Amino acid sequence: MDYGDDPPPSFDRVKSVVHNGEGKGFNPGLIVLLVVGGLLLTFLVGNYVLYMYAQKTLPPKKKKPVSKKKIKREKLKQGVSAPGE
């Protein structure tokens, strides 16, 4: 087939896209997704950094003292007589 000076029909679309190269901009859905994803990632990374900082700087939690009554009950369960009896 001889097209002469005209390009083949399959190239007409490419030619029109090149000549009408107006920027359509970004897809609004993509922008929202990127912003929300960025905020979520920032939140998670920030929490991790704060957690690691707290692990290094805060003193360990103090355990509650065990009452004498509870110690006596545990020893009786194990079959050991409580001291003083």
Side-chain angles (χ1 to χ4, degrees):
M1 293 186 119
D2 185 25
Y3 293 106
D5 291 336
D6 296 331
S10 62
F11 288 104
D12 284 342
R13 284 173 276 181
V14 175
K15 187 177 177 183
S16 67
V17 168
V18 170
H19 288 296
N20 298 336
E22 61 188 60
K24 294 182 180 179
F26 289 108
N27 183 359
L30 179 65
I31 293 173
V32 170
L33 185 67
L34 288 174
V35 168
V36 170
L39 289 173
L40 182 65
L41 188 66
T42 304
F43 176 76
L44 292 174
V45 169
N47 274 349
Y48 179 73
V49 169
L50 285 174
Y51 173 76
M52 295 306 290
Y53 175 73
Q55 290 295 313
K56 291 178 183 177
T57 57
L58 291 177
K61 284 186 178 179
K62 293 182 179 177
K63 294 182 179 178
K64 290 183 180 178
V66 182
S67 68
K68 292 180 182 178
K69 190 176 185 181
K70 200 175 248 184
I71 293 173
K72 188 175 179 181
R73 191 180 314 135
E74 285 296 320
K75 286 188 178 182
L76 285 174
K77 279 184 186 176
Q78 294 174 1
V80 179
S81 63
E85 287 188 3

